[in-house]
Amino acid sequence: MDLLENIINDSIRFLSNRGYQEALSNAISNSEARFFNMLKRHGNIKELAKEVEETKKEVLSSIDYYIDKVVDSFKAANGVAHYAESGKDALEIIDKIIGDRKRILLSKSMTCEEIGLRKHLQQIGKDVWETDLGQLLIQLEGGKPMHATAPVIHMTLEQIIKLVRSKLGMDVREDESPQDIAGRLRVFLREKFIKSEVGISGANAVSADTGSVFLIENEGNIRLVTSLPPLHIVLAGIEKIVPTMMDALKLVMVQSSYAGLFPPSYINVVSGPSATGDIGHRKVYGAHGPREVHLILLNNGRKEANKNVFLREELRCVRCGNCQIFCPVWNHVANTWGGKVYGGPMGVIWTAITEGIEIGSEISQLCLGCKRCDLACPVEIPLSSIIHYLKTQFRK
Ligand code: SF4
């Protein structure tokens, strides 16, 4: 069976699942109206988005310079910086850093999904848990995230109750509320947080001037993943680099606004390991947070894409997922229309970047060409033109 046939079959299964359709349509109803209201309420967000667009263009025009700058700044902050050419290289680096440590926690990261990190760590015998509640449900389901920021956008409460019962053996009643389930999962994960040896996160932005990693969230799990275990590993695509901390702050404000999560409950900034000089005036590491912090900058097709006049535009993406919400195809089949990880309009292009143009061009055939995605993007990525270019690259 070829790729397109597989996608069509998965999409048909998704379409025939009443629960998925109900959950998805409830989640996205009024989302466009909410989005335009947000723009009205926070008049400066559009200006900030324009600044982020220009900043990203500047970084991409000198990407090697900025990679070197991040590496230098991160080292200066007593972190350990690595560069991974491919997903396989990143996995090897992570294996070496982790060594014999067994208990690993992940915060939600599409870049970790991109390299198949959780499955890889499980295969080599590690005890690995996702800590974002949506992503934990995806781990239990054994599927893939269905939206860039809302992984279980396709699941009803009823489906979640069944999943938690069957996979975690919890005696959940049918009338339990989302608040009740969140409470149960919080208790389940608390013990894992306390005993964890390694925390692995992604990054929303990395500032070149200080080597600081910016992470936004609402749940609070990223705070714990990046501070409780003695070892923290950050995996960041090279497109996450921005010149300064101020640029990074602007980017996370734009990302969370367009993702419908503004203001985010938490903005985490990690600049190297935890340290104190309070005891005998001598600096020691690992006061309350990690003793060791590693940053892995991942290429995995991004530099090649940066040379392609169409694909390089997508490297500005801040992964807000708004183009998915605006897309009539994604509205019905979510990320079943996509590659191994990424789906919807941004996903077609990210698949071309990370899995190759051949695969991206095949998936692009299912785009309707309505151009609604172009209206959604904060950083003016001409999504429909890039997808059209991919369509022209399709060879049967
Ligand atoms: S392509 Fe634009 S709208 Fe889509 S996820 Fe990326 S930044 Fe958001």
Side-chain angles (χ1 to χ4, degrees):
M1 216 187 294
D2 68 14
L3 176 63
L4 268 188
E5 253 183 282
N6 264 332
I7 291 175
I8 291 168
N9 286 337
D10 283 353
S11 301
I12 291 171
R13 270 196 293 277
F14 193 92
L15 282 165
S16 357
N17 185 316
R18 259 209 224 156
Y20 288 173
Q21 291 302 312
E22 186 193 315
L24 194 56
S25 102
N26 283 343
I28 58 182
S29 72
N30 293 325
S31 52
E32 284 186 26
R34 279 201 305 271
F35 165 70
F36 287 115
N37 274 340
M38 178 283 294
L39 285 186
K40 240 193 240 165
R41 258 198 336 271
H42 304 287
N44 63 334
I45 289 292
K46 273 217 130 177
E47 279 162 43
L48 287 182
K50 189 73 203 153
E51 284 183 47
V52 171
E53 182 188 339
E54 294 308 322
T55 302
K56 284 247 172 186
K57 281 182 183 164
E58 149 66 18
V59 171
L60 291 166
S61 69
S62 311
I63 191 70
D64 289 322
Y65 164 79
Y66 280 102
I67 291 172
D68 289 345
K69 204 162 173 203
V70 168
V71 168
D72 288 346
S73 303
F74 200 74
K75 281 182 186 161
N78 290 303
V80 187
H82 310 257
Y83 174 78
E85 190 55 46
S86 64
K88 189 169 163 278
D89 291 347
L91 292 176
E92 278 171 19
I93 294 169
I94 292 171
D95 286 351
K96 264 192 209 145
I97 301 170
I98 291 176
D100 293 338
R101 296 173 181 94
K102 211 161 165 65
R103 294 185 294 275
I104 299 162
L105 297 182
L106 306 177
S107 70
K108 190 178 103 53
S109 157
M110 290 304 280
T111 316
C112 290
E113 284 281 327
E114 180 186 318
I115 66 165
L117 180 61
R118 187 179 66 248
K119 284 181 190 141
H120 165 78
L121 292 172
Q122 285 170 329
Q123 272 160 12
I124 60 170
K126 305 292 184 189
D127 181 31
V128 193
W129 288 98
E130 296 281 355
T131 57
D132 171 90
L133 297 190
Q135 197 64 20
L136 173 65
L137 294 168
I138 292 294
Q139 175 175 1
L140 297 178
E141 185 198 36
K144 68 174 183 176
M146 284 293 158
H147 179 262
T149 62
V152 283
I153 196 163
H154 61 301
M155 281 190 210
T156 58
L157 175 60
E158 198 187 348
Q159 287 171 320
I160 290 171
I161 288 176
K162 274 191 192 147
L163 187 64
V164 171
R165 260 193 211 148
S166 69
K167 298 289 176 171
L168 294 179
M170 286 180 186
D171 191 18
V172 189
R173 293 185 320 275
E174 255 154 44
D175 62 349
E176 289 197 24
S177 67
Q179 185 78 57
D180 297 329
I181 311 289
R184 283 179 178 272
L185 295 177
R186 176 190 166 105
V187 171
F188 172 76
L189 285 171
R190 268 304 127 128
E191 186 219 348
K192 315 255 176 240
F193 277 119
I194 302 294
K195 293 186 175 162
S196 61
E197 293 170 286
V198 184
I200 305 181
S201 72
N204 292 100
V206 182
S207 69
D209 57 347
T210 56
S212 305
V213 174
F214 279 63
L215 290 144
I216 43 170
E217 59 165 334
N218 284 337
E219 290 191 8
N221 64 307
I222 296 182
R223 304 219 128 175
L224 298 173
V225 166
T226 60
S227 62
L228 278 181
L231 170 62
H232 174 204
I233 302 171
V234 185
L235 178 69
I238 54 174
E239 84 285 3
K240 297 286 168 66
I241 300 173
V242 291
T244 67
M245 283 183 92
M246 196 50 87
D247 295 322
L249 186 59
K250 287 176 189 169
L251 187 149
V252 295
M253 284 177 72
V254 169
Q255 199 265 5
S256 53
S257 307
Y258 277 69
L261 305 167
F262 187 80
S265 301
Y266 307 103
I267 299 178
N268 306 288
V269 183
V270 177
S271 310
S274 143
T276 179
D278 287 346
I279 303 167
H281 306 295
R282 208 177 308 139
K283 195 165 184 179
V284 290
Y285 291 95
H288 297 284
R291 271 193 298 276
E292 211 180 315
V293 182
H294 292 251
L295 168 67
I296 303 168
L297 291 170
L298 177 70
N299 177 15
N300 206 28
R302 289 158 172 83
K303 279 195 185 179
E304 204 49 40
N306 203 20
K307 291 181 204 145
N308 178 306
V309 69
F310 291 98
L311 294 184
R312 76 166 167 233
E313 304 264 5
E314 186 63 23
L315 297 173
R316 293 201 297 278
C317 175
V318 295
R319 308 272 177 101
C320 63
N322 206 27
C323 54
Q324 297 173 316
I325 302 289
F326 272 65
C327 171
V329 179
W330 184 92
N331 273 204
H332 290 94
V333 299
N335 278 4
T336 54
W337 174 42
K340 279 189 198 135
V341 181
Y342 302 108
M346 58 81 87
V348 170
I349 308 168
W350 274 104
T351 300
I353 294 170
T354 58
E355 294 183 45
I357 287 189
E358 258 177 52
I359 296 179
S361 69
E362 193 162 350
I363 298 170
S364 71
Q365 302 306 305
L366 298 176
C367 167
L368 297 177
C370 69
K371 304 187 178 188
R372 296 200 85 240
C373 49
D374 293 344
L375 302 171
C377 185
V379 283
E380 306 271 333
I381 296 172
L383 290 135
S384 64
S385 308
I386 310 172
I387 295 174
H388 179 73
Y389 154 74
L390 286 170
K391 285 187 177 194
T392 66
Q393 301 302 301
F394 182 51
R395 309 276 177 271
K396 194 65 184 156

